[in-house]
């Protein structure tokens, strides 16, 4: 998918500055190309690769500026590999960074604020001639007020939630909708403010678009909201179920998941509107034993989820769970995202009732069962998944793609394993 942070930074950059964008996932970076500065957005899974890239530019004395979730949550680490670290949101601070860069006075740290979300300067022209999925990413809000212990969002946004101005959302969609089959509203929680979301939904109805998003389950108890969701063209929602065990939910501070009678009632409410569900589950919490996986897969198949994710808990740095697992002595590698011994899909911590290898394997088994041909057939024939022609046509390709990825990333290193260089710190 098109990476929105890059388009946003490009859009914020004054027009007298020439911007070139390279997507390291799909093209080679021409490290010899002349440039005055290099800018990167860091997530925890991409941090190691970003530091490798920064080291390549350090050899040429070109300043590297980083921002994003990972850089904001562990700025001291990021500052070891980048001349300048921007903490938080870019909008209110980027102009100052550029001015300092022009005057040779780049600071080591900048603190972004909480910009008013009145409009979005996203510049998607940087994606021209690159082959991305035909889905457009749109922000309609930022953050989430819930306190889930494992989630980077509550750490980064400090449990705040804001929505973009309705006009700016409508204008952005209108400028893209002729070239777009489906939109992905990438909000952390589209239902973070249900009353405000209803205003946006009403404004979307005349646009006649298809869209999907992610939201917390409490919204499924509001019938008016669900009705508007349907009328506005929403085809599917990602919902973080995480666990079927109340004790786990309580410990991860996500007990609100089972409010008003629990999952079954919430899903029955949604089912009336034929909106598909992407259900996500996380394993390795204190009360998870080997049975937890089959229970979750049975549930996901019985509910006819369009797709589902079964992942091990990941202690992202800067989250409360990272600190708790560290205190409990459960982290197998303190900085797993940089540790050469750590690989994709491996549990970076020692779980409670399972070994770390069992946790990894049981997640793979769960995915295998959920994406087995029998399960795909059963779910594909369910009423909700057949209700919409567009979603039904895509059901099989999307499920087969996930089937291929059941263990596809297992054992892959983080960063580029063929990279021959050495990480070079800022001196
Ligand atoms: C869309 C999305 C995806 C898409 C990817 C889309 C793509 N283009 O490739 C999909 C669904 C594929 C995906 C996958 C994953 N994702 Co994801 N994803 C998101 C989501 C919802 C939106 C990202 C986005 O575009 N935001 C809009 C931009 C504009 O916002 P932003 O990145 O926050 O940028 C702002 C600031 O951070 C800052 N900023 C950012 N970069 C920079 C750079 C500079 C220089 C500056 C100055 C400022 C700056 O300014 C921006 C504007 O204010 C975020 C949540 C979120 N709110 O961002 C999670 C999120 C980034 N994903 C996350 C995760 C965990 C994953 C997965 C690992 C999940 C999994 N188990 O497989 C995978 C793998 C990702 C990987 N890199 O390997 C986590 C990352 C946590 C972390 N600590 O790194 C997030 C934060 C969600 C969460 N709940 O914690 N994801
Ligand atoms: S509801 Fe979702 S986005 Fe909000 S804190 Fe919990 S996991 Fe994160």
């Amino acid at each position: 998918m098109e990476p929105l942070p890059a388009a946003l930074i490009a859009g914020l950059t004054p027009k007298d500055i020439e911007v070139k964008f390279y997507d390291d996932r799909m093209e080679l970076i021409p490290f010899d190309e002349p440039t005055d500065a290099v800018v990167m957005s860091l997530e925890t899974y991409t941090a190691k690769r970003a530091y490798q890239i920064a080291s390549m530019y350090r050899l040429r004395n070109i300043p590297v500026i980083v921002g994003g979730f990972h850089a904001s949550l562990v700025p001291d680490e990021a500052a070891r590999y980048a001349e300048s670290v921007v903490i938080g949101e870019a909008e209110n601070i980027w102009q100052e960074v550029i001015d300092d860069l022009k005057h040779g006075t780049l600071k080591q740290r900048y603190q972004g604020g909480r910009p008013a979300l009145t409009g979005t300067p996203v510049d998607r022209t940087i994606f021209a001639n690159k082959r991305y999925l035909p889905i457009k990413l749109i922000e309609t809000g930022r953050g989430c007020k819930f306190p889930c212990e494992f989630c980077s969002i509550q750490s980064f946004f400090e449990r705040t939630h804001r929505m973009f101005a309705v006009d700016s959302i409508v204008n952005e969609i209108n400028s893209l909708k002729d070239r777009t089959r489906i939109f992905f509203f990438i909000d952390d929680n589209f239902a973070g403010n249900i009353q405000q979301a209803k205003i946006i939904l009403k404004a979307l109805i005349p646009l006649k678009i298809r869209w999907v998003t992610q939201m917390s389950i409490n919204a499924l108890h509001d019938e008016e909201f669900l009705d508007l969701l349907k009328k506005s063209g929403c085809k599917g929602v990602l919902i973080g179920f995480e666990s079927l065990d109340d004790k786990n939910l309580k410990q991860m501070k996500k007990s609100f998941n089972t409010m008003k009678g629990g999952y079954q009632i919430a899903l029955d409410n949604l089912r009336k509107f034929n909106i598909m569900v992407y259900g996500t589950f996380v394993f390795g919490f204190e009360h998870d034993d080997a049975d937890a996986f089959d229970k979750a897969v049975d549930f996901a198949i019985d509910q006819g989820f369009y797709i589902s994710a079964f992942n091990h808990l990941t202690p992202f740095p800067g989250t409360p769970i990272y600190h708790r697992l560290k205190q409990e002595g459960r982290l197998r590698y303190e900085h797993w995202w940089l540790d050469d011994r750590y690989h994709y899909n491996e549990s970076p911590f020692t779980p409670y009732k399972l070994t770390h290898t069992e946790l990894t394997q049981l997640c793979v088994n769960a995915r295998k069962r959920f994406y087995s041909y029998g399960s795909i057939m059963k779910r594909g024939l369910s009423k909700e998944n057949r209700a919409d022609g567009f979603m039904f046509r895509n059901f099989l390709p999307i499920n087969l793609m996930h089937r291929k990825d059941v263990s596809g990333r297992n054992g892959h290193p983080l960063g580029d394993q063929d990279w021959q260089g050495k990480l070079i710190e800022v001196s």
Side-chain angles (χ1 to χ4, degrees):
M1 291 182 217
E2 294 174 347
L4 212 48
L8 187 112
I9 298 294
L12 289 174
T13 304
K15 295 295 162 244
D16 61 322
I17 292 182
E18 190 189 347
V19 174
K20 286 217 180 157
F21 165 65
Y22 297 100
D23 189 330
D24 186 52
R25 297 173 299 182
M26 55 204 265
E27 61 193 330
L28 293 175
I29 301 171
F31 286 106
D32 292 335
E33 187 175 32
T35 183
D36 296 311
V38 170
V39 180
M40 286 187 280
S41 178
L42 269 57
E43 288 173 20
T44 301
Y45 274 98
T46 56
K48 189 171 177 181
R49 177 62 185 148
Y51 299 154
Q52 292 176 343
I53 294 170
S55 300
M56 297 290 285
Y57 285 103
R58 190 134 309 114
L59 289 172
R60 291 178 48 205
N61 288 324
I62 292 170
V64 174
I65 306 168
V66 297
F69 278 90
H70 188 77
S72 300
L73 294 174
V74 279
D76 290 344
E77 174 192 292
R80 281 174 33 216
Y81 301 101
E83 277 67 18
S84 186
V85 179
V86 182
I87 301 167
E89 295 170 70
E91 284 85 344
N92 289 350
I93 196 76
W94 190 239
Q95 188 61 52
E96 186 181 327
V97 179
I98 293 289
D99 284 348
D100 287 351
L101 183 65
K102 278 183 176 170
H103 294 103
T105 54
L106 197 61
K107 299 184 193 68
Q108 287 176 334
R109 298 262 172 123
Y110 294 88
Q111 182 72 51
R114 295 257 176 263
L117 303 179
T118 45
T120 168
V122 164
D123 176 4
R124 290 187 176 79
T125 58
I126 61 166
F127 302 135
N129 304 320
K130 301 195 202 290
R131 292 181 57 205
Y132 291 107
L133 289 178
I135 178 167
K136 287 277 178 272
L137 277 55
I138 300 267
E139 280 189 283
T140 73
R142 281 187 191 164
C144 177
K145 287 189 174 164
F146 285 119
C148 308
E149 195 192 16
F150 56 84
C151 183
S152 298
I153 296 301
Q154 56 103 5
S155 301
F156 183 87
F157 289 103
E158 296 164 309
R159 296 187 60 191
T160 60
H161 177 267
R162 292 122 69 217
M163 297 204 90
F164 278 77
V166 181
D167 286 358
S168 96
I169 300 170
V170 170
N171 290 343
E172 193 179 7
I173 292 176
N174 271 331
S175 72
L176 296 167
K177 76 179 189 173
D178 293 341
R179 291 169 279 139
T180 305
R181 281 157 59 194
I182 188 158
F183 288 93
F184 174 13
F185 294 177
I186 55 163
D187 301 39
D188 309 304
N189 184 0
F190 181 78
N193 177 337
I194 295 186
Q195 294 317 318
Q196 186 67 24
K198 284 180 187 171
I199 298 172
I200 294 176
L201 291 173
K202 284 178 191 158
L204 293 179
I205 296 173
L207 306 188
K208 301 206 179 317
I209 54 164
R210 294 186 197 104
W211 59 283
V212 292
T213 193
Q214 15 194 48
M215 63 172 68
S216 52
I217 199 166
N218 56 314
L220 306 195
H221 297 283
D222 186 322
E223 181 116 3
E224 186 196 3
F225 176 82
L226 294 180
D227 185 45
L228 289 170
L229 209 56
K230 176 76 187 167
K231 287 184 175 143
S232 66
C234 178
K235 301 293 172 193
V237 291
L238 181 152
I239 292 177
F241 292 90
E242 329 302 3
S243 177
L244 299 179
D245 186 306
D246 288 345
K247 296 193 287 304
N248 280 340
L249 289 171
K250 189 161 180 231
Q251 193 181 36
M252 69 177 91
K253 297 203 164 53
K254 203 157 183 174
S255 288
F256 64 83
N257 254 9
T258 52
M259 66 189 278
K260 298 195 177 170
Y263 291 156
Q264 191 61 55
I265 293 178
L267 287 166
D268 286 346
N269 291 344
L270 186 66
R271 198 160 283 126
K272 289 185 220 146
F273 296 89
N274 287 328
I275 291 171
M276 271 120 269
V277 176
Y278 176 177
T280 60
F281 298 87
V282 179
F283 301 93
F285 287 97
E286 195 165 335
H287 303 283
D288 282 333
D289 55 20
D291 293 341
F293 298 79
D294 272 345
K295 281 186 199 152
V297 177
D298 289 343
F299 176 77
I301 296 176
D302 289 346
Q303 296 295 335
F305 288 168
Y306 193 82
I307 45 175
S308 240
F310 304 90
N311 287 320
H312 63 73
L313 170 65
T314 304
F316 285 103
T319 58
I321 206 150
Y322 181 86
H323 297 297
R324 179 158 73 80
L325 292 175
K326 189 176 167 188
Q327 264 174 7
E328 292 174 7
R330 291 189 176 276
L331 293 182
R332 296 179 53 229
Y333 320 103
E334 187 171 345
H335 303 110
W336 54 267
W337 56 94
L338 296 183
D339 200 307
D340 287 339
R341 294 167 296 175
Y342 179 73
H343 294 87
Y344 263 107
N345 272 352
E346 186 188 322
S347 168
F349 73 102
T350 308
Y352 297 82
K353 294 188 175 173
L354 302 161
T355 64
H356 69 88
T357 46
E358 283 169 339
L359 177 55
T360 299
Q361 191 52 46
L362 288 165
C363 286
V364 172
N365 296 352
R367 289 181 214 127
K368 266 190 192 148
R369 258 193 77 209
F370 184 79
Y371 291 107
S372 67
Y373 290 124
S375 157
I376 293 178
M377 179 107 86
K378 184 171 176 202
R379 290 180 291 107
L381 293 176
S382 75
K383 183 176 131 298
E384 314 72 272
N385 292 336
R386 275 187 297 131
D388 180 86
F390 176 83
M391 294 302 278
F392 184 57
R393 276 195 302 284
N394 284 292
F395 178 84
L396 192 59
I398 289 178
N399 271 271
L400 292 178
M401 188 178 83
H402 280 266
R403 185 183 153 84
K404 237 174 107 181
D405 204 26
V406 155
S407 57
R409 278 183 269 176
N410 274 23
H412 277 260
L414 275 61
D416 179 357
Q417 64 176 338
D418 295 328
W419 187 63
Q420 301 291 330
K422 216 173 148 293
L423 290 186
I424 306 171
E425 297 195 12
V426 178
S427 49

